[in-house]
Amino acid sequence: MGTFLKVVGIIVVVLGVVVVVASLLGVGSWFSFTRAYPMLPEEAPPNYWQGFWLLSGIGGVFAGLGVLIAGVALFCLGSIYNDVKSLKR
């Protein structure tokens, strides 16, 4: 069980890193964190927001960090499970 949790944790960490990198590179629309279709002219934000293009993928970055933390937690739980199981023997 502990080894299974560790393997799943590593897979989830890799997925979290992929989401963070994809969001930073601007392909977050693949993960539905940003709008994939163009905005209508009446929905367009004012011009002063155009300077914040780097913050457009910040939701994807936060989601990726959450997935990353969940993966690390699973890995740690697997390690703790293996350690406790070996102490009982």
Side-chain angles (χ1 to χ4, degrees):
M1 179 72 172
T3 305
F4 174 74
L5 285 174
K6 288 171 78 171
V7 170
V8 170
I10 290 171
I11 292 171
V12 171
V13 165
V14 169
L15 180 66
V17 169
V18 167
V19 170
V20 168
V21 170
S23 296
L24 287 176
L25 292 178
V27 291
S29 62
W30 293 352
F31 300 108
S32 299
F33 295 132
T34 59
R35 294 175 75 151
Y37 53 90
M39 286 189 227
L40 298 173
E42 59 270 4
E43 295 177 351
N47 287 338
Y48 59 85
W49 288 109
Q50 290 179 356
F52 296 106
W53 62 271
L54 186 61
L55 294 178
S56 63
I58 199 74
V61 171
F62 285 143
L65 289 176
V67 171
L68 192 71
I69 291 170
V72 170
L74 284 174
F75 185 82
C76 290
L77 282 174
S79 296
I80 291 169
Y81 181 84
N82 283 342
D83 289 343
V84 169
K85 191 174 179 181
S86 68
L87 286 176
K88 287 185 177 184
R89 290 184 191 176

